């Protein structure tokens, strides 16, 4: 018996003897169902336990062709005939075995890391309830939780009395897409019925460091990616307001219509916060929509110490904020928040009679589905609501502050350390610490030489590949503009400690020493 | 101790004494974490057990203001301070208590019903793994499962060797939106960069009975909802091909460009299947994109008995197919399938360097994120893959056939029964059975009179309201065109039996008798 099974293993001494047709809704299927679920929970809780155990690997890497060939009998192919429930449980074990432990204290690879136990509980409940957000009728509790949570988020943003609108969407890219749609609807409502030809040529502005979803939204929604103008940034990756104004004037001179500015609050690579107040001044001057993409930075709004980086956010017309990133909520959990009430419904409603009947017995203003671009919508709110209950606002604040402290620890550790070079100067605004590791063989070389740049460009990918092969830790890298590949360390993992940061640096040096 | 607790309750004789900070990642947090999760699982499995128990209610209805006021201490408000874990577990219990049991054998309210135990297990595992579909790097197993499953679905559609493209999206509306985007990209690729002004006025065609998401996509993507032309249908709700051709010619004569036809395979209200082959002939003749919206009907492709309703589907350029509807997969699980390989990436890729590095050590063609309009993407595949493993293709077929048999049972039961009138004649093509219940007080009245129509219009809402108050069963209703409110019965619930159909009819008569 393993750890968790000590509670229950006496019930499962034999091989699992059941088949699918023994489970509910089969008559007398209760016991078999409970046994099957309990056996599964045993697998899952073991995985949870191991995910937090530093003596386990972050991943056990295999190439696609290896997994496709079938590792030790793990067969991914689907067939006409059913498998036994025993095999299903083995499949579950194998699925976890060959995956990546994103909750591991040394997993730093993405903006979303960690495994929050309350969030996990919330997701387990959500999938057990298995309902849909489109009407109060079939999701009364979840619909109300969403409304109350969105209101709370708007209060934190600083909109008076938390008034406004909003919805949870399947991710930051879709939330950002919403912002562009409603900006267009606000200024050119006739586009909804008549299409883009009813408006002048509309232009969107966003930082060259911003998330690619703004450009994707521009392409998808019919603006065209060329009508998404990229703004220059300072050395730290923050939009230069004067560049914004110059580009707006340029666009106006060409006879186009400047519609929308996206200010990034926590850019993906540098963690930069654009100066919202100065951008808001410009938006007011030119009567433009201001969106703040706080997908990554949003969590900092909950920290009294760090929320000043969002100064001016209450002047935004819309805000993207992904609790599934910095706040450690399980995927997916992203909100688009809007200052003007009713505009989401105005923009998106099509009044489908089969779903949103006006003649229900309850107050149908709670049927919020028609303001979404989706029809069915997954319940993303519950895990977040439950975490908020369990942590309180102060618990989120503590988590955010701790992650930023850890990031400062890393920055202090490496900024003057031999073999490291920072990608930009100064303390990071978010938890993003961007740096090059320079192996000894490169340290004497002329930094501007082509050879040096080519060699340095390969260092991070090489170290990362070795990291994944050894499975000890994971951290991201990428080039940016003219800058060759560098590591982007981000910390959102609640399990990470200073010793894990030390481990990462040791590991980079161990793997990169002889490059 | 309740049923499930007999296995474990001896461990939880006291009130739950733990607090959040006792849980992982706390040092020595394992035991507390295991206890907390086990206690939660006890709540969830009890809910599962009750969901299948016909002696329990489908729901315990309360108005929004009642829930907001706090039912028996169930406080939805969020606060600054944390709650105890004991209270968290109470919150979980209350959340389920005041929700709707969508897995109950008598829940017929939506296209997605039922609670599949294997699918549930899949979701629990998915949330435990808590990863993201955008790269192979952090979701190796899930990315491969998605590829293999999409290929299998394309084979079932009938595309040679299952070649083509596809992706799982957050729902049918987004899948349909993808189809419009890629159709535009296929014929007018310059729109991606230059916007809608680079193309002539583009027109989309879809049935007046089709899902509203086509119109929403038209509005969102910059075509304009007026450029979504609605097609007339026959008495059964199927598109009339001659009407399509006439409307295409009309559009061409105006100088606009007919781009895209959506053929619905299983309409939301009538369950109608548009004649795909005849529509495909017209699309070929006018060089248009053919999309088949099989969000609801898709499951029938797996039935040898019923797949003839999809005749011609292999001629489609794209297909929406939601396993979370007719196939009983937990929400969310929707696929957009595309015949032409590479076009999704062509349409959507923006090549974000921080995420999709070309210099990884593995075959980066498995990094599929850039073909999505999302960035982060929830793992929707695993539960579906696991169900397919457990059921086999034949298991899905049996489920589909059984649901259609049940629907035929209902149809046969009421078509000549006193007090019922069918909304359209003939055996339903899908499980949708649309009917009016005529209370005795209305039976002698002139059917065309205004008074009769007004009274009949109120019957279904009244019965539905009483159903919800008594919590015994749930079924949908809506008007359609000139037709006043009628019941739309759909059967996708694997737990439903003939006796549940009998119960529904008895209940309608019990509640509606005196109206």
């Amino acid at each position: 018996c393993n750890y968790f099974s000590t509670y229950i293993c006496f019930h499962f001494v034999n091989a699992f003897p059941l088949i699918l047709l023994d489970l509910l809704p089969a008559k007398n299927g209760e016991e078999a169902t409970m046994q099957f679920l309990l056996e599964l929970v045993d697998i899952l809780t073991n995985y949870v336990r191991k995910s937090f155990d530093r003596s386990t690997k972050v991943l056990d890497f295999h190439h696609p062709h290896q997994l496709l060939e079938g590792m030790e009998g793990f067969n991914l192919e689907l067939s006409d005939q059913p498998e036994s429930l025993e095999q299903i449980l083995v499949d579950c074990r194998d699925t976890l075995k060959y995956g990546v432990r994103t909750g591991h204290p040394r997993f730093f690879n993405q903006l979303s890391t960690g495994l929050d136990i309350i969030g996990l509980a919330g997701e387990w409940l959500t999938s057990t309830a298995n309902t849909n957000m489109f009407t109060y009728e079939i999701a009364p509790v979840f619909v109300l939780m969403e409304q109350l949570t969105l209101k709370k988020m708007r209060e934190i943003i600083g909109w008076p009395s938390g008034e406004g609108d909003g919805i949870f969407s399947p991710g930051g890219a879709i939330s950002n897409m919403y912002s562009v749609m409603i900006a267009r609807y606000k200024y050119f409502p006739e586009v909804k019925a008549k299409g883009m030809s009813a408006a002048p040529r509309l232009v969107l502005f966003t930082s060259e460091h911003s998330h690619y979803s703004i450009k994707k939204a521009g392409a998808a929604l019919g603006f065209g990616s060329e009508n998404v103008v990229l703004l220059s940034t300072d050395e730290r990756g923050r939009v230069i307001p004067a560049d914004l104004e110059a580009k707006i004037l340029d666009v106006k001179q060409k006879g186009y219509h400047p519609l929308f500015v996206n200010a990034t609050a926590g850019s993906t690579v540098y963690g930069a916060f654009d100066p919202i107040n100065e951008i808001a001044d410009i938006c007011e001057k030119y009567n433009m929509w201001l969106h703040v993409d706080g997908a990554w930075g949003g969590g900092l709004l909950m920290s009294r110490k760090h929320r000043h980086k969002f100064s001016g956010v209450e002047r935004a017309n819309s805000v993207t904020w992904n609790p599934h990133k910095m706040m450690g909520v399980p995927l997916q959990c992203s909100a688009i928040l809007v200052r003007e009430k009713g505009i989401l419904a105005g923009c998106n409603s099509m009044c489908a009679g089969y779903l949103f009947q006006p003649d229900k017995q309850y107050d149908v203003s709670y049927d919020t589905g028609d303001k979404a671009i989706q029809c069915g919508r997954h319940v993303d709110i519950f895990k977040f609501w439950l975490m908020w209950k369990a942590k309180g606002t102060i618990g989120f604040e503590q988590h955010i502050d701790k992650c930023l402290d850890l990031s400062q620890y890393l920055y202090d550790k490496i900024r003057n350390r031999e073999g490291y070079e920072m990608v930009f100067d100064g303390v990071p605004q978010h938890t993003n610490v961007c740096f090059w590791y320079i192996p000894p063989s490169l340290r004497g070389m002329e930094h501007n030489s082509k050879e040096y740049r080519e060699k340095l460009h390969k260092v991070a990918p090489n170290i990362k590949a070795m990291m994944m092969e050894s499975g000890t830790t994971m951290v991201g890298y990428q080039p940016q503009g003219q800058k060759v590949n560098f590591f982007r360390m981000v910390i959102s993992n609640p399990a990470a400690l200073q010793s894990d940061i030390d481990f990462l640096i040791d590991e980079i040096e161990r793997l990169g020493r002889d490059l």
Side-chain angles (χ1 to χ4, degrees), chain A residues 57 75 78 153 199 232 253 266 290 305 347 358 458 467 514:
Chain A
K57 286 182 170 188
N75 176 15
L78 300 167
M153 293 171 89
S232 302
Q253 203 178 16
L290 172 57
K305 188 169 167 196
C347 177
K458 290 181 183 147
M467 254 177 202
D514 300 325

Side-chain angles (χ1 to χ4, degrees), chain A residues 310-323:
Chain A
F310 268 96
S311 182
V313 66
E314 72 284 355
R315 300 172 67 187
N317 300 94
S318 55
V319 176
T320 291
W321 176 353
N322 287 9

Side-chain angles (χ1 to χ4, degrees), chain A residues 67-87:
Chain A
L67 284 172
L68 287 170
E69 282 156 13
M71 302 292 301
E72 295 170 20
F74 182 30
N75 176 15
L76 293 169
E77 291 287 345
L78 300 167
S79 74
D80 291 348
Q81 299 301 319
E83 273 182 0
S84 71
L85 289 185
E86 191 175 356
Q87 182 59 45

Side-chain angles (χ1 to χ4, degrees), chain A residues 173-304:
Chain A
I174 304 283
S175 291
N176 284 340
M177 182 186 272
Y178 269 114
S179 75
V180 177
M181 287 172 63
I182 53 182
R184 178 176 64 185
Y185 180 74
K186 174 71 178 171
Y187 290 97
F188 298 95
E190 59 276 23
V191 170
K192 181 180 179 183
K194 301 205 172 292
M196 288 296 274
S197 63
R201 184 160 158 179
L202 303 175
V203 180
L204 317 172
F205 298 83
T206 191
S207 161
E208 61 188 357
H209 276 245
S210 71
H211 192 261
Y212 68 97
S213 54
I214 300 290
K215 216 166 166 181
K216 268 201 184 184
L221 303 179
F223 296 79
S225 56
E226 286 178 7
N227 294 310
V228 181
V229 172
L230 297 185
L231 304 171
S232 302
T233 57
D234 65 16
E235 206 262 339
R236 300 285 302 268
R238 295 169 298 206
V239 156
I240 300 166
D243 185 65
L244 169 62
E245 184 154 21
K247 283 174 176 159
I248 289 171
L249 291 172
D250 180 56
V251 155
K252 283 172 81 78
Q253 203 178 16
K254 286 178 181 152
Y256 313 152
H257 185 96
L259 178 77
F260 168 101
V261 181
N262 171 55
T264 303
S267 64
T268 315
V269 178
Y270 281 20
F273 284 74
D274 290 340
I276 299 176
N277 262 320
E278 288 164 84
I279 294 172
D281 289 343
I282 297 170
C283 286
E284 279 170 19
K285 184 170 171 188
Y286 296 99
N287 191 25
M288 295 171 71
W289 186 275
L290 172 57
H291 176 65
V292 171
D293 178 4
W296 170 225
L300 274 65
L301 285 163
M302 303 191 92
S303 160
R304 281 163 288 190

